[in-house]
Amino acid sequence: MGDLFFRDNANMFGSQEFPIIAIATAPGRGAVGIVRISGKNIKKYVAQLCGKKLKPREATYLALRDAKQQPIDHVLAIYFEGPNSYTGEDVLELQAHGGPVVLQLLVSRCLELAAAQDDEHKPMLANLRLAQAGEFTQRAFLNHKLDLAQAEAVADLIDASTEAAARSASRSLSGEFSQCIFQLRDAVIQLRMLVEATLDFPEEEIDFLQQADAQGQLNRLQAQWQQIMQRTRQGSLLREGIRVVIAGQPNAGKSSLLNALAGAELAIVTPIAGTTRDVVQQTIQIQGVPLHVIDTAGLRDQPNIDEVERIGIQRAWHQIAQADVVLFLHDITREKDPAYQLADQQIAQTLQEKITAHIPLLHIWNKADALEKTAHISSQATPLVLSAKTGEGLDVLRQQLLDVVGWQEAGSEGLFMARERHVQALKLMQEHLQMAHDLLQQKAPALDVLAEELRLAQNALNSITGEFSNEDLLGVIFSSFCIGK
């Protein structure tokens, strides 16, 4: 099935047979810039471009010349003969000085020579074209050099914003995550084969399922799934981060809390109600986990607010609906004000309607610095009291944010990078495993349905590594890569 998938999707990309070229380094000036070419059977073209035959995997210093034989730049040329290359095709890398004009001149010369006729009056390298985003890694995937999870890890490694994220992405790129998925898939296949063997030989007196301990195999499979799911959730948190929305009435200190968490004056803070009119966002890191902290307009429903503030409040509710965690910030100095209490109750009721039950809602009492030491709040729940002004209680809040989303620092060193789609695929697999479990509990299980549930569980796993995926998914994944990778 895997080979068929790769062949089918090679046709999906249409122009995979054509050679491609791109600048593989970031835009702008730099000490070194790289131009990369990938295609099948480009050895003759490489020799013509470089003026000599290159030994595979050996750096050669040479002058690359234009059509008039004037030098463009002196480069290091490295030729990788397929399939022993990143893409699985022949690859040429030209390492030149990193000026954008120089690199563009090199690309133009490569394209110009490709269109020139050789001794047989044919184009030197027909159809050489500029690469699309992620197309080099896409070809590595299609040529079996990487599976889909490893290909995604390439982009994750480039985008890593913390040391923990970089190390985790490197583990996924090395195949650690894929290996876990393959082991889980093999266990599903083993059980599936057992069930289908029973279907093929119904006349046998031996109860294949009972003799091979099918129920025990399924139980062990679910336990194995649980371990992998835990690591995948952790890896997804490390990559995706957590959307934390700060909500509450005007002047509760939302902007002050954002500034305190970020350690910078990002949002304007004044005693005037309605100062924050729009969404302000900052990404911070706690134990290597990105937190996207979002400050919103104060929530209130009064007839005298202007149109700009009204739009800001609408945007605040929109952000709250998309949050992973909502911080409901209360002003502890107004805790006994009846009007303030009533407004808080109305916000709390709307929050229950706007956010789903699985989104954590933390009640935070701010302005502890303004309280007398003997004062206490009357809330029955154990509150988190802090001061955005002095920083009191911020460490407790940071830890609570990690706790409510299930982050476990102790196991972070061995994590692999994962994405939300991987989490969803594993959840789908578990749904089919649970259906299989329920079928096995019946006195006369429908074995054909049982086999189908196991097949669907296997397909869910295969979608992670790319052995079973749809075209739209692949397009989304590779289009998010940078050009030249």
Side-chain angles (χ1 to χ4, degrees):
M1 182 184 70
D3 289 340
L4 178 60
F5 165 79
F6 282 109
R7 288 196 297 271
D8 289 345
N9 284 275
N11 295 329
M12 176 190 76
F13 295 107
S15 57
Q16 192 203 4
E17 297 299 320
F18 297 161
I20 54 175
I21 182 172
I23 298 172
T25 41
R29 297 170 58 195
V32 177
I34 298 174
V35 173
R36 177 181 289 166
I37 302 173
S38 179
K40 297 177 181 178
N41 303 317
I42 67 172
K43 183 184 294 186
K44 182 178 178 181
Y45 167 80
V46 169
Q48 185 70 22
L49 178 69
C50 297
K52 61 172 69 175
K53 291 184 178 180
L54 301 183
K55 293 182 179 180
R57 311 179 75 83
E58 183 177 298
T60 303
Y61 181 70
L62 52 85
L64 204 67
R65 302 179 182 276
D66 62 18
K68 296 180 180 180
Q69 295 306 303
Q70 297 299 313
I72 300 173
D73 193 12
H74 286 75
V75 305
L76 278 179
I78 309 176
Y79 173 62
F80 301 89
E81 192 171 23
N84 300 314
S85 69
Y86 178 70
T87 64
E89 303 172 334
D90 292 349
V91 172
L92 174 67
E93 287 194 355
L94 302 173
Q95 300 181 13
H97 292 93
V101 174
V102 173
L103 296 177
Q104 288 294 346
L105 286 172
L106 291 178
V107 171
S108 297
R109 175 55 184 158
C110 292
L111 291 168
E112 180 185 33
L113 181 62
Q117 293 183 344
D118 60 13
D119 296 338
E120 299 176 355
H121 304 290
K122 296 178 181 179
M124 186 66 65
L125 190 61
N127 300 313
L128 177 64
R129 60 170 177 80
L130 294 175
Q132 300 173 4
E135 194 167 1
F136 288 92
T137 304
Q138 179 190 95
R139 293 191 177 197
F141 165 67
L142 293 173
N143 291 326
H144 305 263
K145 303 296 290 187
L146 300 169
D147 63 43
L148 193 54
Q150 289 176 297
E152 289 171 306
V154 172
D156 294 337
L157 186 58
I158 293 171
D159 294 338
S161 58
T162 67
E163 180 181 348
R167 291 183 181 276
S168 298
S170 182
R171 292 188 194 97
S172 290
L173 180 56
S174 69
E176 184 174 332
F177 178 41
S178 300
Q179 192 59 40
C180 290
I181 297 302
F182 291 146
Q183 291 174 359
L184 196 59
R185 182 201 62 186
D186 290 346
V188 174
I189 291 174
Q190 173 100 8
L191 184 55
R192 181 183 168 191
M193 289 173 58
L194 177 67
V195 173
E196 292 184 355
T198 308
L199 281 170
D200 290 338
F201 303 101
E203 70 281 358
E204 293 287 342
E205 295 180 1
I206 300 175
D207 187 344
F208 285 133
L209 296 182
Q210 185 175 5
Q211 185 185 46
D213 188 23
Q215 185 62 64
Q217 286 191 43
L218 184 55
N219 292 341
R220 289 188 291 273
L221 182 58
Q222 290 179 308
Q224 187 179 358
W225 172 89
Q226 184 66 41
Q227 294 176 351
I228 294 175
M229 185 61 166
Q230 176 61 28
R231 295 182 67 187
T232 304
R233 280 200 181 103
Q234 296 282 95
S236 179
L237 282 176
L238 200 58
R239 180 187 184 275
E240 309 287 350
I242 309 165
R243 287 179 59 85
V244 181
V245 176
I246 307 174
Q249 294 189 56
N251 281 349
K254 298 183 297 300
S255 297
S256 297
L257 180 56
L258 170 67
N259 292 342
L261 288 171
E265 296 296 321
L266 302 173
I268 299 172
V269 177
T270 76
I272 303 172
T275 298
T276 301
R277 300 296 189 95
D278 205 351
V279 172
V280 180
Q281 178 173 330
Q282 177 67 14
T283 298
I284 64 174
Q285 297 168 10
I286 303 177
Q287 297 179 14
V289 179
L291 266 70
H292 312 295
V293 186
I294 302 167
D295 177 27
T296 59
L299 303 175
R300 58 176 174 170
D301 186 13
Q302 295 183 7
N304 59 343
I305 63 176
D306 59 38
E307 184 63 20
V308 175
E309 186 179 355
R310 192 180 306 277
I311 294 173
I313 293 172
Q314 291 175 351
R315 292 183 178 181
W317 284 115
H318 177 72
Q319 292 293 332
I320 289 169
Q322 296 181 322
D324 296 316
V325 180
V326 176
L327 301 183
F328 188 179
L329 197 64
H330 308 272
D331 183 347
I332 201 170
T333 65
R334 292 184 281 169
E335 193 258 342
K336 295 182 179 179
D337 182 344
Y340 185 82
Q341 289 180 348
L342 178 61
D344 258 7
Q345 291 172 4
Q346 292 173 341
I347 293 172
Q349 182 177 354
T350 308
L351 281 172
Q352 289 182 341
E353 299 170 356
K354 292 283 187 181
I355 65 177
T356 56
H358 71 276
I359 297 177
L361 175 63
L362 299 182
H363 289 268
I364 313 295
W365 293 86
N366 187 29
K367 304 185 182 181
D369 56 285
L371 276 186
E372 297 180 3
K373 293 188 180 295
T374 56
H376 66 279
I377 66 172
S378 59
S379 173
Q380 295 181 357
T382 302
L384 173 56
V385 181
L386 56 78
S387 170
K389 182 177 181 180
T390 66
E392 176 189 348
L394 288 183
D395 288 340
V396 177
L397 173 59
R398 293 186 182 101
Q399 188 58 52
Q400 280 201 10
L401 286 171
L402 295 180
D403 290 344
V404 296
V405 296
W407 175 254
Q408 298 176 357
E409 182 185 12
S412 62
E413 183 59 32
L415 285 182
F416 41 68
M417 188 65 78
R419 299 190 173 203
E420 181 60 25
R421 80 168 191 90
H422 303 152
V423 174
Q424 295 305 318
L426 285 170
K427 286 182 177 179
L428 179 60
M429 176 209 175
Q430 173 58 12
E431 291 176 8
H432 293 299
L433 289 184
Q434 187 58 49
M435 291 292 294
H437 178 273
D438 294 343
L439 286 167
L440 277 177
Q441 299 304 304
Q442 299 176 7
K443 291 184 178 180
L447 297 183
D448 54 343
V449 180
L450 177 60
E452 177 63 11
E453 292 297 338
L454 294 174
R455 186 188 71 81
L456 293 173
Q458 180 184 340
N459 283 349
L461 289 176
N462 286 340
S463 70
I464 294 176
T465 55
E467 294 177 79
F468 181 86
S469 295
N470 61 61
E471 297 181 4
D472 291 339
L473 171 64
L474 297 179
V476 168
I477 288 173
F478 289 110
S479 65
S480 66
F481 280 53
C482 54
I483 298 292
K485 197 57 183 174

